[in-house]
Amino acid sequence: MWENPTLEAEFLRSLGTSYRAIYACSLAIVGNASDADDIVQDVCLILWQKYHEFDPATNFRKWACTVAFQVAKNFVRKQRRRKSFGFSDEVLSRLEQVRSGASELFELRRDFLGGCLAKLSAQERQFLDQCYRSETSLVAKAQAQGASVETVYSRLKRLRRKLAECIDKTIERSL
Amino acid sequence: MTKPHSPIAEVRNLADAVFDRQIDEASLERLQFLLLSDISCLQAYLERIDFHGELRDRAMGASAPEQSMRVTLENLRIVSTARRPLRLWLGYSALLASFFIILLAGWEVLSGTFHRPVGNIINLSDNARGSNVGSLELSQVIRRGSVVSIADGFLSLQLPHVLVDLQAPTTIRIHSQGEVELVSGTLNALVSKGGEGFHVRTADALVTDLGTEFMVEYSVGKGTHVSVNRGRAEASLLDWKGQSTKTLEVTAGRAARFDKQSAVAKETEFQPEKFQAVERNRGKIRSITGDIRTCTQPPQTLTSDQMITANHLLVIPEQQSVILDQALVVNGKTIPAGTRLSSYLVHYNPTADAQFAPRGSITFMGRIAAVAVESRDLNSTDTTFGLSQSTYEKQDFRELELDEDEIQLSDDQRTISFFFGMSPPTFLDEVRVFVLSDHD
């Protein structure tokens, strides 16, 4: 494909505008950031390999998300076989249905989250960023820093609750 | 542990456990039950996971998705380039290749070489961030076949007899302890005795060390640039089959460019400032451990509360290879005139809500001549050894509080270990380490 610059540019443009959506769909199924990162890599490869089958008159994002859901569900199934527990196929299908059907609502909540984050203190933002920026687990990070896992985790829980309540209140006010 | 009041609250807690990878079998069963019993639980679960995704996106910075996508596309290009010549043979080759891959994988596993550790991460800058290919942690073991990708900052890997520095954005694949593939970006290799023959491969070129320090830069469309700072290296232009077609020997202070598309292999202008960037980032630091980070950009100001280091100590390479024109007295120790010294400032400035008292160590390539811990010694050496673009704190509180801050030197005088406490109202602690540069 890279021999055709027009097609390449078209693919890159479409992928760029859909990248966040692909990640969100993958995350919805696998539930954690690290696995979602791996899924996105695989999805991009498949999209590239199948791009000649894509009808430009249709919606690239929708097509990409369908692929992302499929790849992510297969990933969870494999994990389930390996670990002997994991979401059932029924739960995975429902997650896909609800995630696909309510994507605009999720976008709205994301916008509200931005407003709620702005209300946090600089220290709270810094702490939250540190927790989410790390690619290791929170427990491993706390242990590596020589801190109490409970202390770090309870502070994180408080902040998450504060943000969730803020989003809920903002939605209530906007209705 | 008290149970949450409502199913929605319970689902949110369980979703947190899923995202944090803390979920156990029993909790997952409970979560499944809730998700299947009520659509509002399903909605709450997805909202919560999406909430975490957004927080992570924001923590990683605005450019995170773009950076991730760039690495993804770089990988797609590699696959594309590798597959092109095989296209006609794909049908028959696939079966044959699968057979050999199974054989090879079996052999690798049996012989214990697959994913064998070949090195570890020994230096990370304070802004270092991995791309989505994998995580980056100080002291992390790097295995054969693994991909190391840095989206921001600077890192160093120690392979046997070879110190590899990566400047973001860079992605490499470790083929063995003696061969690294530069997928994209900038790689600096400092090869010590015993490491001769170390290879760096790009899509255009194969660079072979002949006892040296060299830098390789590669990006799609721009070809491969090879610069040699010390010693010499042999660099070959590769054709699409990966076979060398032209070979150049590049010696100290010279550079060459290789481009497979235009079949170019020619000498170009040597740019010493490229190596100065490595010097600025790493200096002559051999390795760091614990909660210490280096920096990629010299701070403009190091005065109190202007350069916050929340949970780590920052080590800043300052003036390098300064020859003393008169004796220097530090901490009661006299260093004679004529001695060549390099300076490193260790800076720690947490905020009042810092979570951890950091600890860690720095190992230098040279021996430590002296350590300035008192404000008198720090202030008197700022001009000679400090960075000209940085403003330093002059107040006494920059010095160590000996009742709570600890430093320790190793027997060979190459490693210094730190444990800094936190004492209000001013949290700044600084140490200047003077390292002998006679190894230059």
Side-chain angles (χ1 to χ4, degrees):
Chain A
M1 178 189 299
W2 305 112
E3 290 161 345
N4 184 338
T6 313
L7 201 63
E8 175 187 336
E10 192 182 276
F11 176 74
L12 297 185
R13 198 167 47 246
S14 302
L15 189 62
T17 55
S18 304
Y19 200 84
R20 277 178 185 272
I22 295 169
Y23 183 81
C25 295
S26 307
L27 186 63
I29 299 295
V30 296
N32 72 79
S34 170
D35 289 341
D37 284 338
D38 291 341
I39 302 290
V40 171
Q41 291 268 332
D42 290 347
V43 171
C44 289
L45 185 62
I46 292 169
L47 294 175
W48 165 68
Q49 287 168 334
K50 303 268 185 195
Y51 192 56
H52 63 280
E53 295 174 13
F54 172 67
D55 178 1
T58 60
N59 186 326
F60 181 89
R61 182 177 296 196
K62 198 174 172 187
W63 176 61
C65 283
T66 305
V67 173
F69 280 129
Q70 201 53 48
V71 174
K73 285 195 292 186
N74 285 340
F75 178 88
V76 173
R77 287 184 192 115
K78 277 183 194 163
Q79 292 280 86
R80 192 174 61 207
R81 280 198 292 273
R82 196 166 59 81
K83 292 198 290 192
S84 77
F85 73 96
F87 281 148
S88 66
D89 283 355
E90 189 182 359
V91 169
L92 294 177
S93 296
R94 290 199 188 186
L95 288 173
E96 180 181 353
Q97 279 170 3
V98 176
R99 186 67 184 75
S100 304
S103 57
E104 285 176 7
L105 181 63
F106 291 115
E107 298 257 339
L108 188 67
R109 291 187 71 92
R110 283 181 167 226
D111 287 345
F112 289 153
L113 174 60
C116 293
L117 280 169
K119 292 176 187 167
L120 296 183
S121 69
Q123 285 83 4
E124 286 174 326
R125 277 300 299 270
Q126 189 183 23
F127 173 77
L128 206 59
D129 284 351
Q130 279 172 356
C131 291
Y132 276 91
R133 196 179 296 129
S134 172
E135 293 181 2
T136 55
S137 72
L138 189 70
V139 174
K141 187 173 174 62
Q143 283 170 341
Q145 299 279 5
S148 150
V149 177
E150 289 74 22
T151 306
V152 176
Y153 205 76
S154 52
R155 189 176 177 200
L156 180 61
K157 274 178 84 169
R158 276 199 305 276
L159 276 177
R160 284 170 168 171
R161 189 165 56 239
K162 189 174 174 180
L163 284 170
E165 284 170 1
C166 173
I167 296 170
D168 290 344
K169 279 180 189 163
T170 314
I171 288 175
E172 277 172 27
R173 276 199 300 270
S174 68
L175 290 176
Chain B
M1 188 177 138
T2 53
K3 285 219 161 197
H5 302 299
S6 71
I8 299 293
E10 189 178 358
V11 164
R12 282 180 172 174
N13 280 349
L14 290 168
D16 290 352
V18 170
F19 185 81
D20 295 332
R21 306 183 83 155
Q22 300 295 310
I23 193 95
D24 57 27
E25 188 170 358
S27 301
L28 192 89
E29 281 300 317
R30 172 69 182 159
L31 178 59
Q32 288 214 99
F33 170 77
L34 291 167
L35 296 181
L36 291 172
S37 62
D38 187 345
I39 192 151
S40 60
C41 287
L42 205 60
Q43 178 80 21
Y45 174 80
L46 285 166
E47 282 171 3
R48 192 67 166 187
I49 293 292
D50 210 59
F51 163 86
H52 291 309
E54 179 67 5
L55 284 175
R56 183 172 180 268
D57 262 7
R58 288 171 185 265
M60 299 290 272
S63 63
E66 288 73 25
Q67 288 281 11
S68 302
M69 200 179 88
R70 192 192 55 72
V71 173
T72 303
L73 294 175
E74 206 63 67
N75 290 339
L76 293 186
R77 282 195 170 96
I78 295 162
V79 174
S80 166
T81 310
R83 285 183 180 178
R84 202 171 297 148
L86 296 176
R87 196 168 290 159
L88 290 174
W89 296 91
L90 207 55
Y92 292 113
S93 308
L95 276 177
L96 197 61
S98 305
F99 176 71
F100 278 112
I101 286 167
I102 290 165
L103 273 184
L104 185 64
W107 167 252
E108 293 274 20
V109 171
L110 284 173
S111 62
T113 58
F114 196 59
H115 289 173
R116 176 194 287 174
V118 291
N120 60 317
I121 296 178
I122 56 160
N123 190 348
L124 273 181
S125 65
D126 59 338
N127 61 338
R129 185 171 64 79
S131 73
N132 58 356
V133 174
S135 61
L136 298 175
E137 296 288 338
L138 202 57
S139 304
Q140 180 182 327
V141 171
I142 303 298
R143 295 177 184 277
R144 182 181 167 187
S146 60
V147 171
V148 179
S149 189
I150 181 165
D152 283 314
F154 177 89
L155 76 76
S156 303
L157 301 175
Q158 182 67 61
L159 303 176
H161 310 292
V162 184
L163 178 61
V164 173
D165 303 301
L166 306 182
Q167 294 175 52
T170 291
T171 300
I172 63 168
R173 184 173 289 116
I174 313 283
H175 288 295
S176 68
Q177 61 184 32
E179 182 172 336
V180 168
E181 177 188 350
L182 176 61
V183 177
S184 66
T186 304
L187 176 155
N188 188 77
L190 181 59
V191 183
S192 53
K193 196 174 178 187
E196 297 88 347
F198 175 72
H199 296 299
V200 177
R201 184 181 287 274
T202 71
D204 300 298
L206 177 66
V207 185
T208 305
D209 165 76
L210 300 173
T212 188
E213 179 182 7
F214 65 89
M215 181 179 288
V216 185
E217 299 155 275
Y218 170 72
S219 63
V220 176
K222 291 184 179 172
T224 299
H225 289 260
V226 180
S227 308
V228 175
N229 194 32
R230 287 186 285 180
R232 62 199 173 98
E234 185 182 87
S236 300
L237 178 69
L238 303 177
D239 63 12
W240 63 269
K241 288 181 283 189
Q243 292 176 344
S244 63
T245 56
K246 292 177 190 171
T247 298
L248 296 179
E249 186 170 304
V250 190
T251 52
R254 293 168 67 195
R257 177 174 173 264
F258 299 83
D259 184 1
K260 184 164 62 180
Q261 297 295 328
S262 51
V264 165
K266 66 175 184 181
E267 190 155 343
T268 55
E269 186 190 357
F270 177 74
Q271 295 173 295
E273 62 271 19
K274 289 179 177 175
F275 290 94
Q276 286 161 9
V278 177
E279 183 99 325
R280 192 179 61 233
N281 290 329
R282 171 169 55 74
K284 295 294 187 294
I285 294 170
R286 163 77 61 198
S287 64
I288 56 177
T289 63
D291 309 315
I292 296 183
R293 295 293 180 270
T294 51
C295 62
T296 50
Q297 290 296 326
Q300 286 197 329
T301 178
L302 288 157
T303 53
S304 180
D305 294 336
Q306 296 303 304
M307 183 67 198
I308 299 295
T309 56
N311 292 312
H312 65 275
L313 307 173
L314 191 65
V315 54
I316 304 160
E318 298 182 300
Q319 299 298 330
Q320 301 289 300
S321 299
V322 174
I323 301 173
L324 296 179
D325 55 6
Q326 58 184 25
L328 176 69
V329 179
V330 177
N331 215 11
K333 182 178 179 183
T334 303
I335 306 169
T339 307
R340 188 189 291 259
L341 292 177
S342 294
S343 174
Y344 299 84
L345 186 78
V346 179
H347 173 94
Y348 176 50
N349 195 165
T351 52
D353 65 341
Q355 297 283 316
F356 323 109
R359 60 177 72 215
S361 68
I362 310 168
T363 299
F364 295 95
M365 294 176 188
R367 281 187 301 116
I368 296 165
V371 182
V373 297
E374 294 179 2
S375 58
R376 183 191 55 198
D377 289 338
L378 289 164
N379 293 344
S380 66
T381 51
D382 280 343
T383 309
T384 310
F385 291 97
L387 295 167
S388 55
Q389 66 269 46
S390 301
T391 307
Y392 290 84
E393 180 58 66
K394 294 293 181 188
Q395 299 287 322
D396 283 350
F397 55 70
R398 74 184 293 201
E399 69 182 12
L400 294 195
E401 289 75 35
L402 293 175
D403 53 336
E404 62 168 28
D405 301 321
E406 291 174 31
I407 60 170
Q408 198 169 15
L409 280 182
S410 66
D411 290 344
D412 67 359
Q413 303 281 302
R414 288 175 191 270
T415 301
I416 183 166
S417 306
F418 300 92
F419 179 73
F420 283 0
M422 297 177 286
S423 54
T426 53
F427 294 95
L428 177 66
D429 280 322
E430 288 186 326
V431 170
R432 179 166 282 129
V433 184
F434 298 98
V435 178
L436 294 170
S437 300
D438 48 7
H439 59 282
D440 279 342

